Amino acid sequence: MTVLKSKPLNKLTWDGRYKGSLVVMMGPDGKEAKSGSPINPLATLNKKGRTAADIIASLEDQRWVCQNSIKEIKDTSKRISGKCQVVAKALKAANDQQNALMAAYSAAVDKAKAARAKIPAAQSAIETAFQGLENAKKKLEKFEIDTLKDKTEKELQGLKSERDATIASIKEILSIAKLIRGGKLVDLADTAINKIATHTVKVDYQPRLKELEGKVAKLTAKSANLAKEIALGEVAEATKNLQTYIKAYNAQEVALNAALTAAAKARKLAIDKLHKRSSTSALGDIMDERRVHVKYVALTKKNIANYKAGLDVAMKLLSALERDYSSVRYFLKGAEKKDKSYGPETAYGKATVKAGLGNSVLLGKWSHYAKSELAYCKAEMKYLNDQSAQGPFAGFDKVQKMMEEAQITSREKLRAHGLNCD
């Protein structure tokens, strides 16, 4: 009979623990036990042993994937947490920039208010000029052209026509004047300033002012000869004053609108800065990493779940196989009835029983380790689901909190200036 030598079925290690080899169940001829022979149960054990070896190898691979994934997740969270200083610096820069924008906005609003403050004086001056024109009209209406003794009838009729035309022009000017008298520009300015925080209201008297300016210029030309003839200087003086004050009135409107436009631009820049706060490269990169991290954590959870499912299957299989290998003596007793050479007390039988018990002990260790690995899965799954400062998103959450607090502060500043930032 051939001397029985052990032959490794498969060399295995699991997480660096319980290194060892299952050995092949051999026949007395030194060859692997064959199916259909008296030692058919040993051939079955070899098949089950190889299946167990494949499962252990698979679990070893899964354990390695899970272990490395968890390490990568923890390293990433720690690394992101270490970037908080970079984020803080970026947020401070954004805050400083917003402060500068808000200062520019406040300055523009102050300019608009200053321009508005000058409007009453300009309006009062133009009102005085209108009154002067009104007085001139009244004098012209009362003036008796016929009292001019040195004029021929034709000349008197010409002067009457000029007087009537001048009065008509003044009436036309005063009718236009009604549209800009009574403080309406001040009211419009106040409305525009009150709405700077939400939108721009342009104060636009320009078309009427231009029309008025043109009418006054024509009146000046038209009444020049009349004033010489009837020695009535009120019209000339009133039109001259009116031209001066219209320009001043116009300048205040231009200044007001320029300030309103500047305030609107400053407002838009300040609000845009709030909405683009996370667009700085440091913050943008971290947010991109977070999106990848979320997917990686989800994948790791799936891997842990698969590993646990594999452990559940392995525990049942290894436990059953452990018992089977420990029963080799009984298998041999059954075979002994057909051939005495298979008996458990023979040299072959003793070697085979020893090999079976060795396999049983190794499988028992792996079965026990599979059970302890369930606790590992539970602990790692708990970590992956942890939303606290000890969880996988701790670093990202720290950065996110800094950003949220910065945004809250930024919004409060905008609202304090009456700006709508929603």
Side-chain angles (χ1 to χ4, degrees):
M1 183 179 289
T2 305
V3 177
L4 190 65
K5 291 183 179 179
S6 63
K7 178 183 177 183
L9 183 106
N10 210 326
K11 289 184 179 180
L12 294 170
T13 180
W14 188 0
D15 189 29
R17 305 185 189 190
Y18 312 125
K19 296 179 182 179
S21 300
L22 294 173
V23 296
V24 178
M25 294 291 98
M26 312 289 282
D29 57 358
K31 295 181 180 179
E32 186 173 335
K34 295 179 180 178
S35 300
S37 68
I39 51 174
N40 182 68
L42 300 185
T44 301
L45 279 178
N46 286 334
K47 290 180 181 178
K48 289 182 177 180
R50 287 191 172 93
T51 299
D54 289 341
I55 289 175
I56 296 298
S58 174
L59 289 174
E60 163 66 8
D61 290 342
Q62 289 183 59
R63 178 53 153 89
W64 184 87
V65 169
C66 293
Q67 194 174 22
N68 280 274
S69 293
I70 294 292
K71 183 179 182 302
E72 175 66 22
I73 287 168
K74 289 181 177 179
D75 288 348
T76 298
S77 186
K78 184 178 179 181
R79 176 172 54 79
I80 295 300
S81 184
K83 286 187 175 183
C84 281
Q85 285 188 342
V86 176
V87 174
K89 188 176 180 181
L91 290 174
K92 183 181 182 304
N95 183 62
D96 291 345
Q97 188 173 8
Q98 190 187 34
N99 286 341
L101 292 172
M102 292 313 304
Y105 171 74
S106 294
V109 173
D110 288 343
K111 280 188 178 180
K113 289 178 179 178
R116 180 259 179 241
K118 293 179 180 178
I119 290 173
Q123 197 157 27
S124 178
I126 203 170
E127 186 65 34
T128 301
F130 284 143
Q131 191 59 51
L133 204 57
E134 180 79 46
N135 294 338
K137 177 180 78 72
K138 289 176 181 178
K139 284 192 176 183
L140 278 175
E141 288 172 338
K142 291 178 181 180
F143 190 83
E144 296 290 341
I145 298 295
D146 293 332
T147 59
L148 299 173
K149 301 299 184 182
D150 56 341
K151 300 294 180 184
T152 65
E153 184 61 27
K154 185 178 179 180
E155 288 174 330
L156 288 174
Q157 288 303 318
L159 286 173
K160 285 180 181 179
S161 296
E162 285 181 17
R163 181 193 63 184
D164 292 342
T166 299
I167 290 171
S169 291
I170 292 173
K171 284 181 178 179
E172 187 179 19
I173 288 171
L174 291 176
S175 67
I176 298 171
K178 287 178 184 178
L179 299 174
I180 58 174
R181 295 171 80 176
K184 286 187 179 179
L185 183 58
V186 173
D187 293 340
L188 278 177
D190 288 339
T191 299
I193 290 170
N194 289 335
K195 291 187 176 181
I196 287 177
T198 54
H199 59 281
T200 307
V201 177
K202 191 172 182 182
V203 177
D204 193 5
Y205 267 69
Q206 294 299 313
R208 287 180 183 134
L209 287 171
K210 276 197 167 185
E211 182 185 5
L212 191 59
E213 226 172 352
K215 299 288 184 185
V216 171
K218 287 181 181 179
L219 175 60
T220 301
K222 188 182 294 182
S223 61
N225 184 57
L226 179 66
K228 287 179 186 176
E229 293 294 340
I230 63 178
L232 189 68
E234 282 86 348
V235 175
E237 183 180 356
T239 53
K240 181 182 176 183
N241 289 340
L242 200 52
Q243 285 175 319
T244 300
Y245 297 142
I246 286 173
K247 284 183 172 59
Y249 199 65
N250 181 64
Q252 291 312 312
E253 182 184 323
V254 170
L256 176 65
N257 281 326
L260 290 171
T261 300
K265 288 180 180 178
R267 176 194 68 219
K268 185 177 184 304
L269 287 172
I271 293 175
D272 286 351
K273 185 61 185 175
L274 171 69
H275 292 155
K276 294 176 182 177
R277 180 174 287 279
S278 61
S279 65
T280 56
S281 60
L283 299 177
D285 290 346
I286 289 173
M287 290 303 101
D288 287 341
E289 284 198 65
R290 184 187 181 99
R291 284 187 281 274
V292 174
H293 195 65
V294 167
K295 293 179 181 178
Y296 196 61
V297 168
L299 177 62
T300 303
K301 285 181 182 180
K302 186 177 179 181
N303 290 337
I304 293 284
N306 289 339
Y307 184 43
K308 181 182 178 300
L311 290 170
D312 289 332
V313 172
M315 281 175 62
K316 294 176 184 177
L317 176 66
L318 295 175
S319 241
L321 197 53
E322 176 191 359
R323 290 191 298 272
D324 288 346
Y325 271 111
S326 69
S327 302
V328 167
R329 172 179 291 277
Y330 300 104
F331 297 153
L332 293 178
K333 279 187 177 183
E336 185 181 23
K337 294 175 182 178
K338 297 180 181 179
D339 188 330
K340 296 290 183 181
S341 65
Y342 292 117
E345 299 305 325
T346 64
Y348 161 75
K350 288 178 180 179
T352 301
V353 170
K354 183 180 178 182
L357 290 175
N359 282 354
S360 179
V361 170
L362 187 56
L363 288 166
K365 289 179 179 180
W366 278 334
S367 179
H368 177 76
Y369 185 56
K371 187 175 181 180
S372 70
E373 281 294 272
L374 291 176
Y376 164 80
C377 290
K378 184 178 180 180
E380 295 303 348
M381 195 63 84
K382 182 180 180 182
Y383 163 72
L384 293 173
N385 288 317
D386 189 352
Q387 300 298 317
S388 74
Q390 283 71 48
F393 293 97
F396 290 102
D397 289 344
K398 191 174 179 182
V399 171
Q400 187 69 31
K401 186 177 180 182
M402 291 172 66
M403 291 178 62
E404 287 173 356
E405 288 176 350
Q407 285 231 339
I408 289 171
T409 301
S410 183
R411 287 175 183 277
E412 286 175 350
K413 286 180 183 176
L414 292 175
R415 289 192 180 103
H417 284 76
L419 300 180
N420 182 7
C421 50
D422 296 324

